[in-house]
Amino acid sequence: MSEITSEMKRLPVVDRLADSQNLKPRWSVPVPGSDLIAADPRATRAMVALMDMEAQIGGAASHFGGPSAFAELMSSLHAIMFAEAAAKKTKWTKLFHFVNDAGHCENGLYALKANYGFAGLTLESLRGFRSVTSKLTGHGEAHLFPEGVLISNGPLGSGLPQAQGLAMADALAGEMNRVTVCALSDGGAMEGEAREAFAAIPGFAAKGKAAPFVMIVSDNRTKLSGRIDQDAFSMEASFQALVSLGWDVIELKDGHNLAACAQALNDAIARARKNPAKPVAIHARTIKGKGNKKAEESKTGAHGFPLKSAKELPEFLTEIYAGSAVPQEFMAWVETVKAREEAASQKVSATVMPTTPGALRLKETKSEKIQVGVAAAMIDARKRGYPVVSVSADLQGSTGVADFHKAFPQASIDIGIAESNMISTAAGLSLAGYIPFVDTFAQFGVTKGALPLTMANLSHAPVIGIFSHTGFQDAADGASHQALSFFAQVASIPHVDVYSLSSSSEAHDLVTEVIETFARDREAGRVPRTSLFFLGRENFPSRMIASGLKHTTASWPLCLDTTAGMKKSVVIAASGSLVPEALKAADLLLNDGIGAFVFHASNVNHPDLAAVKAALGKASGVLVTVEEHRLTCGMGSMLIHQLVQGGVHLKARSLGIGDHFGQSAYSALELYKQHGLDAVSIATAARALA
């Protein structure tokens, strides 16, 4: 033991993970060639399908392909870890750290744990998957389910370097028998954080600074948008390079052979313990969507859940069990899901449309995703000769940019799952005379893109960003995917304009304006500004124009005035996805004789102060701001600061998110209500000030 280890006393950290003693899988299979009894991978796939359908009926997307690819590997691994702990009569966490970096596969782990009854999970627990009442969130969340999740996951590639830290901590403490095991997808292996850890883990292990380490890579050459080799580039050379980096690589040719998986894992654990200086990587060939032929053959391997109706479940489960009887418990679950789906459809058809003015105003145009306007603006500009190019990081189908890729494949690049690389690549294209667009979820764009965005602007290489799924708009995926600090993380970067979009028509107009301005600046020898557009995920009215609603300026393109004839009035400044709630709040206030000016803060860090000042002058300085962003450094704090700096006297109330993380829910509205951001909450805040 080194001198620093012997003298260093660690602080106590409570091990909150549940114990595995005396737990046996309810649906099990023997592992051929061993005395292990493992959870039946077919049961895992069946439970994942049932969980996903429950969530889908509630309105949340889910994932089947990833957990189905990992089913045999995870069944084998947990059988090995729990069996060793039972044999040594100790808690399994004394022998192993387990980290899941494949966040889209967490539902498979929930199913596996429910099979064991681990952490008290049951079939009934699984039914709430991704709902606002459940701790089983879209991705594993340690802050909500500490008894079942060691390290929160979701942003791919982040778990592996954290697992590296666990192994280095064990080495520092002289605990060289515990094995850190990390599960990683081939898509996650494209991330910069993961590739850095590929080199760092064996590098530090060779110096005696890491305890035994095993990495499991599920390689099916498939990511969200399609096949990795075809859409981006082959990862084969990267995996072959693991040997050169210092890994002891075990090639597992069939990641769905339970006996082969168990043998590979037993060998890996034994090798890592025998020689901690050389970490072990299991390169497992898997099939995304395994268990269903249609899913396996689909371009994305059924990344999301492939079924549209609960009526399809019996046939789906029958195929998973390949001729064997499907457990009665699962078939009974199917019937309850079918009944729930039928009840949900009847409830929708019987719903009475609200008749308040605000509700009618929002129904005057069709609803669609804001992404439609973004893609249309990019396509129109390219057709008009502007050198628009798109650099995406696998999420172009979600951000809407996929339509541009289809129209102009020669001007589109899928860089792979690597957001930092995406932005820096776009910076190079900018310096070469193109108008580069980057796109991803807001959470990844600001967290993994803040430094590249800073360096791009420092290099006079501006880009245009389309960052979707803001705030609680990514309801089902949970806290790891919910960007709640996105304005704060980029609004203060020099030469960056931050926009928040509320409708597809607004998106088309503002994106078009930015493209044209970018081109004019380049042609005049000026450096254009970087423009970052933030937008939601759900459907919104495509054009919010009706009686009393008008466009003002590019900075504040939306203004509702309901103050005529009212003795009291307030100003409501709303951001992006919360504009509809602000409009509804204005109608609620009319019932109390309170008029409202509703402004949409589309240009967040450079607002049109003159328009707001004029409205505040008529509203006795009463201002309510609302956003799905942290109160710290959000739109409200930026606006109020600039107004006060300009000498405006205010009575203000800001609605936003406090010092905490989000969670999963079926829809953003559930979270708006929970966090006091819905129309009723806005109206209540306004009444208190007026």
Side-chain angles (χ1 to χ4, degrees):
M1 186 179 297
S2 69
E3 182 179 346
I4 188 171
T5 300
S6 62
E7 293 179 355
M8 189 180 301
K9 182 179 179 181
R10 290 188 291 171
L11 298 173
V13 178
V14 177
D15 178 6
R16 300 187 185 279
L17 288 168
D19 201 354
S20 62
Q21 293 293 325
N22 303 316
L23 297 180
K24 303 293 182 184
R26 184 175 179 181
W27 297 281
S28 63
V29 291
V31 178
S34 74
D35 57 359
L36 284 174
I37 300 297
D40 189 343
R42 298 174 301 179
T44 297
R45 293 188 177 98
M47 285 186 276
V48 166
L50 288 158
M51 293 162 62
D52 286 358
M53 182 56 74
E54 291 268 19
Q56 187 167 291
I57 292 170
S62 295
H63 303 96
F64 178 78
S68 68
F70 259 116
E72 284 77 12
L73 284 161
M74 291 299 101
S75 288
S76 301
L77 174 64
H78 284 75
I80 290 168
M81 293 191 299
F82 293 171
E84 182 177 341
K88 294 182 178 179
K89 297 182 179 179
T90 188
K91 190 174 181 181
W92 70 280
T93 55
K94 298 293 184 182
L95 304 170
F96 297 95
H97 287 305
F98 172 64
V99 175
N100 176 37
D101 197 330
H104 291 154
C105 305
E106 194 71 28
N107 51 350
L109 292 169
Y110 295 150
L112 180 66
K113 290 167 183 172
N115 195 348
Y116 277 96
F118 183 88
L121 291 187
T122 63
L123 289 187
E124 190 61 30
S125 303
L126 299 181
R127 297 195 63 183
F129 174 56
R130 289 196 169 209
S131 74
V132 74
T133 60
S134 176
K135 60 187 176 183
L136 304 186
T137 51
H139 298 271
E141 304 284 6
H143 74 297
L144 293 177
F145 188 28
E147 62 271 36
V149 177
L150 175 60
I151 287 178
S152 297
N153 58 56
L156 299 180
S158 296
L160 183 61
Q162 291 189 62
Q164 171 189 320
L166 289 170
M168 294 181 75
D170 279 349
L172 196 61
E175 297 179 5
M176 297 301 290
N177 189 56
R178 179 158 50 192
V179 181
T180 297
V181 183
C182 183
L184 180 72
S185 67
D186 49 353
M190 304 180 87
E191 285 283 11
E193 294 169 272
R195 295 171 82 90
E196 289 171 11
F198 277 6
I201 292 169
F204 283 114
K207 299 175 69 174
K209 294 187 175 183
F213 197 101
V214 174
M215 176 176 67
I216 308 166
V217 180
S218 174
D219 181 8
N220 41 65
R221 302 177 182 180
T222 310
K223 54 189 180 64
L224 186 152
S225 64
R227 303 301 179 184
I228 287 176
D229 297 24
Q230 298 172 7
D231 293 355
F233 56 87
S234 173
M235 287 291 291
E236 193 66 28
S238 296
F239 296 136
Q240 290 176 359
L242 291 174
V243 173
S244 306
L245 290 171
W247 291 85
D248 180 3
V249 178
I250 296 175
E251 292 289 345
L252 178 57
K253 294 182 179 180
D254 184 0
H256 300 295
N257 182 311
L258 195 62
C261 288
Q263 182 63 52
L265 285 160
N266 274 319
D267 287 350
I269 291 167
R271 290 188 201 180
R273 281 188 174 139
K274 183 177 181 180
N275 183 14
K278 200 170 186 67
V280 183
I282 298 176
H283 181 205
R285 304 288 186 175
T286 60
I287 299 172
K288 197 170 182 180
K290 178 69 175 178
N292 178 266
K293 189 173 186 293
K294 185 177 179 181
E296 293 174 16
E297 294 176 351
S298 70
K299 183 180 178 183
T300 66
H303 181 87
F305 187 49
L307 304 187
K308 302 298 183 185
S309 169
K311 296 176 182 178
E312 303 173 71
L313 278 171
E315 182 179 349
F316 195 78
L317 298 192
T318 298
E319 184 175 351
I320 286 174
Y321 272 84
S324 299
V326 179
Q328 285 301 311
E329 294 91 338
F330 297 162
M331 296 309 295
W333 188 353
V334 168
E335 293 306 311
T336 62
V337 178
K338 288 165 65 176
R340 182 181 167 214
E341 182 179 60
E342 178 63 24
S345 65
Q346 292 177 357
K347 182 178 180 180
V348 170
S349 62
T351 297
V352 177
M353 296 300 292
T355 57
T356 63
L360 291 175
R361 180 179 294 113
L362 296 175
K363 295 292 180 183
E364 288 194 358
T365 60
K366 66 177 181 178
S367 290
E368 64 183 10
K369 292 187 181 297
I370 299 170
Q371 286 87 332
V372 172
V374 171
M378 294 172 65
I379 292 169
D380 291 347
R382 179 75 188 191
K383 287 180 177 178
R384 290 188 289 133
Y386 289 97
V388 173
V389 295
S390 171
V391 187
S392 296
D394 192 41
L395 291 173
Q396 55 268 31
S398 299
T399 62
V401 176
D403 288 343
F404 180 87
H405 283 228
K406 292 176 184 176
F408 299 101
Q410 74 280 12
S412 303
I413 302 167
D414 185 338
I415 206 73
I417 305 171
E419 294 82 7
S420 296
N421 193 319
M422 170 185 70
I423 293 171
S424 293
T425 298
L429 289 162
S430 178
L431 284 174
Y434 293 96
I435 303 177
F437 276 73
V438 296
D439 67 282
T440 185
F441 287 2
Q443 178 75 322
F444 309 148
V446 299
T447 55
K448 300 192 177 190
L451 180 58
L453 283 168
T454 299
M455 296 310 298
N457 285 281
L458 192 57
S459 301
H460 292 176
V463 302
I464 300 174
I466 306 298
F467 295 157
S468 67
H469 293 54
T470 51
F472 291 138
Q473 280 288 298
D474 198 356
D477 279 327
S480 66
H481 281 48
Q482 289 167 353
L484 299 177
S485 303
F486 54 106
F487 293 150
Q489 289 174 294
V490 294
S492 63
I493 299 175
H495 312 305
V496 171
D497 293 326
V498 175
Y499 294 89
S500 181
L501 299 173
S502 65
S503 69
S504 57
S505 61
E506 177 189 49
H508 182 277
D509 293 347
L510 289 180
V511 172
T512 297
E513 180 181 320
V514 162
I515 292 171
E516 293 173 347
T517 301
F518 192 113
R520 284 197 301 271
D521 286 341
R522 280 294 193 210
E523 290 165 353
R526 298 186 296 268
V527 178
R529 297 178 65 83
T530 282
S531 296
L532 304 180
F533 291 94
F534 291 96
L535 54 147
R537 171 186 179 271
E538 299 173 358
N539 285 359
F540 296 87
S542 62
R543 184 178 296 277
M544 288 183 268
I545 297 178
S547 176
L549 203 60
K550 61 183 179 181
H551 282 70
T552 55
T553 68
S555 296
W556 297 85
L558 191 64
C559 179
L560 169 69
D561 183 355
T562 64
T563 61
M566 298 291 117
K567 293 182 178 180
K568 295 181 179 179
S569 61
V570 299
V571 174
I572 302 173
S575 174
S577 302
L578 285 171
V579 168
E581 294 303 305
L583 294 175
K584 294 174 188 175
D587 290 315
L588 293 175
L589 290 171
L590 286 176
N591 297 329
D592 300 314
I594 301 174
F597 297 95
V598 178
F599 286 98
H600 172 215
S602 63
N603 192 328
V604 176
N605 55 346
H606 300 293
D608 185 342
L609 295 178
V612 183
K613 286 180 180 179
L616 285 170
K618 300 175 183 178
S620 303
V622 175
L623 171 66
V624 175
T625 68
V626 58
E627 58 192 314
E628 49 185 336
H629 187 284
R630 302 215 184 282
L631 289 169
T632 302
C633 300
M635 176 273 294
S637 64
M638 283 187 271
L639 174 61
I640 291 171
H641 178 262
Q642 292 183 55
L643 288 170
V644 172
Q645 288 284 88
V648 178
H649 296 285
L650 299 171
K651 289 191 294 182
R653 172 75 187 278
S654 289
L655 304 181
I657 314 301
D659 187 22
H660 52 79
F661 293 102
Q663 67 178 88
S664 285
Y666 288 156
S667 72
L669 184 57
E670 290 178 307
L671 293 171
Y672 293 159
K673 290 179 179 178
Q674 184 180 88
H675 292 273
L677 304 175
D678 62 326
V680 171
S681 299
I682 298 169
T684 299
R687 290 189 197 102
L689 292 176

